[in-house]
Amino acid sequence: MSSYEARFRVWRGDQHGGGLRDFTVEVNDGEVVLDVVHRLQATQAPDLAVRWNCKAGKCGSCSAEINGRPRLLCMTRMSVFDRSETVTVTPLRAFPVIRDLVTDVGFNYRKAREIPAFVPPAGVGPGEYRMFQEDVDRPQEFRKCIECFLCQDTCHVVRDHEENKQAFAGPRYLMRVAELDMHPLDAAAETGLDRSSAARKEHGLGYCNITKCCTEVCPEGIRITDNALIPLKERAADRAYDPLVWLGSKIRRRRS
Ligand code: SF4
Ligand code: F3S
Ligand code: FES
């Protein structure tokens, strides 16, 4: 096994301020950035705060920015960097810092709570739902989300505009609205809730100008923009112009 000394620059500080600190740290073959951060904790900075759980790209905890790009620390191999380059690790920029690499991602949980849950159809019990396979396949992609919030962090609508956070749910939660809106058994419409117009009026769909940065950083490879946001925009536009067409198509799909 070969090893080398890498140059790391890590943001240290808290909500009152901080700055980048330089370290030289050993890296071994096959390691990821999280391994190196752990070695920094073990050898040079025992109080360095970093959030992680699975080290397998599945819990979504270790989100940070590496050389300015939102990434998972545990899924970024050291081999993607040149050995002579300095690797800079900073906390997610769109969320308030708690300490070092740990941010307060509560914004995302608040947005999640603003989206009304699936409304079960009347008269159909659990286990009795019947759907076409294509209606199962479409949202399955969205269900791969590990809630790492890298898409939320990278979207320019909130990344540099704190003032937009009130009105904009962000790609992860607009995708959730899209998923429910596509669900053929969701009975929200019967309670008077039109999910795609709510996406526009309450969750800020109009702020999204389809830059696709969210899709580019998603570690699960979910095609957030093409498969969730654009169809949601199309459905919102259809309904704005002809809500009767939408209601008719929903009823037809459920009957079939
Ligand atoms: Fe992370 Fe992708 Fe889910 Fe966004 S959609 S929170 S980038 S897994
Ligand atoms: Fe933002 Fe993604 Fe739209 S990055 S602007 S939500 S396509
Ligand atoms: Fe779980 Fe990185 S530690 S995704």
Side-chain angles (χ1 to χ4, degrees):
M1 180 164 61
S2 79
S3 65
Y4 67 98
E5 296 289 310
R7 282 203 304 272
F8 259 62
R9 189 164 286 162
V10 181
W11 196 89
R12 308 279 332 254
D14 57 24
Q15 67 270 41
H16 304 298
L20 293 166
R21 303 276 181 275
D22 288 318
F23 299 93
T24 301
V25 58
E26 181 188 330
V27 177
N28 300 310
D29 280 348
E31 288 188 331
V32 294
V33 173
L34 185 61
D35 291 311
V36 181
V37 170
H38 283 161
R39 185 164 300 115
L40 272 177
Q41 282 181 322
T43 59
Q44 303 177 51
D47 59 343
L48 173 64
V50 60
R51 189 185 277 135
W52 69 284
N53 274 289
C54 68
K55 202 169 175 280
K58 285 296 158 212
C59 73
S61 305
C62 67
S63 304
E65 303 200 1
I66 305 175
N67 293 348
R69 184 182 164 89
R71 307 180 76 133
L72 295 179
L73 296 174
C74 75
M75 296 302 284
T76 305
R77 291 193 170 278
M78 283 303 297
S79 56
V80 303
F81 305 108
D82 193 282
R83 288 185 174 203
S84 62
E85 103 180 78
T86 300
V87 178
T88 302
V89 187
T90 48
L92 296 175
R93 189 163 110 195
F95 309 121
V97 167
I98 297 175
R99 205 160 78 94
D100 301 334
L101 301 177
V102 176
T103 50
D104 174 359
V105 293
F107 162 78
N108 301 288
Y109 304 127
R110 288 191 289 281
K111 292 297 166 184
R113 281 196 291 271
E114 286 171 14
I115 295 166
F118 173 75
V119 180
V124 188
E128 294 171 354
Y129 294 0
R130 295 291 176 267
M131 289 163 62
F132 287 114
Q133 187 59 39
E134 65 183 25
D135 288 330
V136 176
D137 292 342
R138 280 179 90 188
Q140 201 101 352
E141 179 187 13
F142 311 144
R143 288 294 180 128
K144 289 192 300 179
C145 175
I146 60 170
E147 305 239 286
C148 65
F149 310 131
L150 293 180
C151 59
Q152 302 282 94
D153 176 61
T154 203
C155 177
H156 68 96
V157 175
V158 288
R159 187 168 173 83
D160 294 311
H161 298 281
E162 187 67 26
E163 70 280 9
N164 288 341
K165 280 189 174 166
Q166 184 70 22
F168 185 62
R172 194 274 168 264
Y173 295 104
L174 288 168
M175 180 173 88
R176 174 76 179 141
V177 178
E179 179 191 338
L180 289 165
D181 194 42
M182 287 172 190
H183 200 304
L185 295 179
D186 177 54
E190 282 143 46
T191 68
L193 171 64
D194 178 346
R195 291 192 187 272
S196 67
S197 19
R200 211 161 34 86
K201 293 179 190 152
E202 286 159 39
H203 308 301
L205 181 61
Y207 283 80
C208 165
N209 55 352
I210 319 185
T211 56
K212 301 198 183 188
C213 312
C214 51
T215 302
E216 278 170 27
V217 298
C218 178
E220 284 293 313
I222 302 171
R223 292 194 292 160
I224 307 167
T225 321
D226 287 349
N227 292 351
L229 306 184
I230 293 175
L232 188 61
K233 278 176 176 281
E234 287 169 351
R235 288 155 78 101
D238 283 353
R239 282 168 218 183
Y241 288 111
D242 197 345
L244 285 178
V245 168
W246 162 72
L247 196 58
S249 73
K250 187 104 183 168
I251 290 165
R252 267 201 307 284
R253 284 182 84 196
R254 293 197 58 212
R255 286 209 175 124
S256 67

